[in-house]
Amino acid sequence: MNATTGAFLDGDGRLMTMKTVEAVVKEIPFNESCEYATIEGSPEFIEAAIDAAFREYRPDAFIRGVATPGGTGGIHHAIFNYLDDGDAVLVMNRYWAAYKNICRETNRRLETFPMFTEDWKFNVQGCVDKLYEIAEQQTNVMLIMNTPANNPTGYNVKADEWEVIMKALNDIANNGKNNVVLLMDIAYIDFAAPEAREMFKMFNNLPANFLVLVAFTMSKSYAMYGYRLGCLLCVTSSEEEAEAFLDVNKFSCRATWSNSSRLGMLVMERIHQDPALKAAFRAEQEELRLSLLNRANLFNKEAAEVGLTVCPFDSGFFVTIPTVKAEELAAELRKQDIFMIPLGDGANAGLRVALCALPEEKISGMAAKIKAAMDVVGA
Ligand SMILES: Cc1ncc(COP(=O)(O)O)c(C=O)c1O
């Protein structure tokens, strides 16, 4: 049983693809898809990406975008362009490992705050304390928020929690000393309930030196992981800042990967421009979201029945079993041919279970197996 993969697989272990996307790909003339795209991406693609990211919750602000190879490219540009050498980026202590790699590559540092309190509430105070600490040390304060459907926990940050974090970020932006960059990693947003996008309304009327960046990706939302297309969007109350975003990030595209997938852009454009196709595509997305949620509901129900602690989960590809003995637990499960990824160490250690990679029949009984393995290793 392979619960390590970060892709949505069907009951036979094959990648779940989308029929609407496949049909559009097949309609695109080959020679058209082979051409270079413009460096920043076509205006039609950027508009499609804005719509795909925000839907009806588009912030009232200046919004610009540049094409990137997946969400990874956008996260790279954000970390590279909006921090200085040696600066820290703040993330939750349960985080996607690539953030750290990008920081190492770009000579930045990753700093974390404890994601949950002892009673499993999202640790807003931990986040805020760390933000103020970083504000003392560097000019640009960058916070990465991978929500909704966080990897690796499946947690969605809630409105009241956002309120406290936004208050602190606004306060820092208004202190006459710092700038704020909030990087929203929304890689899994289409696997959260559509209302999760309400958070985007918080980004209206921000101070001019409070920049929101949104890393959108087709990887999971269109099940086009290998095509490598995403879009880094900026949301700002300053037109000047929006134009600077475009200049700086276009330059970085040119200096790294040049242009991004033209086929991916054409797919997004066509779906966006055809209302019937868009409706069919969104219905398919919703079907996938609900089928993934069924897997999670089954796992979490059984976990509760056997007394297995799971990090708070709302939606997404993964759940995390918190345990300081994650390595030992993973090794014990491997003896039964069950593969899961041990993550972190100390306070943030845990076993990540990729529910996206397991069909329901394999999920049934899984919580009990993990609990039994925990008892064996004394976790
Ligand atoms: C938290 C998170 N952010 C961003 C990404 C970006 O992926 P991609 O570059 O394939 O779009 C991933 C992919 O696994 C992820 O887990």
Side-chain angles (χ1 to χ4, degrees):
M1 256 184 257
N2 183 357
T4 61
T5 314
F8 195 5
L9 308 182
D10 68 13
D12 300 321
R14 281 179 316 214
L15 189 72
M16 289 263 231
T17 53
M18 298 179 72
K19 290 186 212 68
T20 43
V21 171
E22 186 177 357
V24 174
V25 168
K26 286 181 174 162
E27 271 173 17
I28 294 171
F30 182 60
N31 71 341
E32 207 182 315
S33 72
C34 289
E35 279 179 35
Y36 277 125
T38 49
I39 300 278
E40 70 273 32
S42 64
E44 296 81 4
F45 158 70
I46 301 296
E47 189 45 49
I50 291 171
D51 182 55
F54 302 125
R55 296 199 184 176
E56 62 270 38
Y57 300 99
R58 182 177 176 151
D60 184 12
F62 293 101
I63 299 177
R64 302 282 187 276
V66 291
T68 57
T72 308
I75 296 162
H76 169 272
H77 276 10
I79 291 176
F80 181 67
N81 284 322
Y82 290 94
L83 291 171
D84 283 326
D85 272 2
D87 275 358
V89 182
L90 184 62
V91 298
M92 305 163 194
N93 69 348
R94 297 183 186 275
Y95 62 88
W96 183 46
Y99 299 147
K100 196 165 194 173
N101 299 348
I102 295 172
C103 286
R104 287 188 64 182
E105 170 95 346
T106 55
N107 197 22
R108 277 79 174 117
R109 288 177 297 118
L110 200 77
E111 292 233 0
T112 62
F113 64 91
M115 184 170 178
F116 299 111
T117 58
E118 275 179 9
D119 56 350
W120 295 109
K121 300 275 184 303
F122 186 72
N123 190 352
V124 274
Q125 197 52 48
C127 176
V128 166
D129 289 348
K130 204 74 193 173
L131 285 170
Y132 283 111
E133 195 183 306
I134 291 174
E136 293 287 319
Q137 298 160 6
Q138 63 193 52
T139 305
N140 286 3
V141 175
M142 181 182 284
L143 172 66
I144 303 181
M145 291 290 272
N146 173 214
T147 183
N150 170 266
N151 173 7
T153 63
Y155 189 71
N156 296 356
V157 176
K158 312 295 180 300
D160 57 331
E161 296 156 354
W162 265 121
E163 208 176 300
V164 181
I165 295 169
M166 287 300 285
K167 192 166 168 288
L169 290 173
N170 272 294
D171 185 38
I172 292 170
N174 288 324
N175 69 7
K177 203 166 65 79
N178 295 107
N179 303 310
V180 167
V181 182
L182 171 61
L183 172 56
M184 302 292 299
D185 179 354
I186 58 163
Y188 299 90
I189 196 163
D190 289 306
F191 290 87
E195 314 81 73
R197 284 179 165 82
E198 270 172 17
M199 63 185 182
F200 293 133
K201 287 290 176 196
M202 299 180 307
F203 305 149
N204 297 340
N205 304 316
L206 294 176
N209 63 336
F210 185 151
L211 182 69
V212 177
L213 300 175
V214 179
F216 170 80
T217 170
M218 288 182 92
S219 298
K220 341 270 164 179
S221 293
Y222 289 67
M224 289 183 81
Y225 308 78
Y227 276 89
R228 310 306 305 142
L229 185 62
C231 188
L232 182 67
L233 299 162
C234 79
V235 178
T236 166
S237 61
S238 155
E239 189 167 14
E240 201 185 324
E241 193 60 54
E243 292 305 323
F245 164 88
L246 209 51
D247 286 344
V248 164
N249 288 290
K250 247 164 80 173
F251 188 90
S252 287
C253 291
R254 186 22 124 193
T256 49
W257 51 74
S258 179
N259 64 139
S260 296
S261 163
R262 177 149 162 97
L263 185 96
M265 290 181 202
L266 292 171
V267 169
M268 282 194 67
E269 287 172 19
R270 287 189 179 210
I271 292 177
H272 177 64
Q273 287 164 4
D274 179 338
L277 183 58
K278 184 162 140 184
F281 167 71
R282 292 245 173 116
E284 208 180 343
Q285 280 186 318
E286 188 61 4
E287 221 177 278
L288 289 182
R289 177 178 84 81
L290 294 175
S291 97
L292 186 61
L293 195 57
N294 283 341
R295 295 184 189 183
N297 288 343
L298 174 63
F299 182 86
N300 286 323
K301 178 177 146 290
E302 292 191 356
E305 283 164 7
V306 299
L308 177 70
T309 304
V310 182
C311 287
F313 173 94
D314 297 289
S315 46
F317 278 34
F318 314 101
V319 291
T320 292
I321 315 300
T323 166
V324 285
K325 293 200 169 170
E327 293 284 349
E328 293 93 320
L329 180 58
E332 181 60 29
L333 287 163
R334 278 200 297 276
K335 290 184 194 159
Q336 300 169 50
D337 267 345
I338 298 172
F339 295 85
M340 293 169 180
I341 298 191
L343 291 174
D345 48 40
N348 68 348
L351 187 73
R352 191 186 78 168
V353 184
L355 297 176
C356 56
L358 296 176
E360 275 183 53
E361 57 277 17
K362 285 191 181 165
I363 289 172
S364 181
M366 181 63 77
K369 285 181 188 151
I370 297 174
K371 180 76 171 82
M374 284 180 93
D375 292 342
V376 172
V377 301

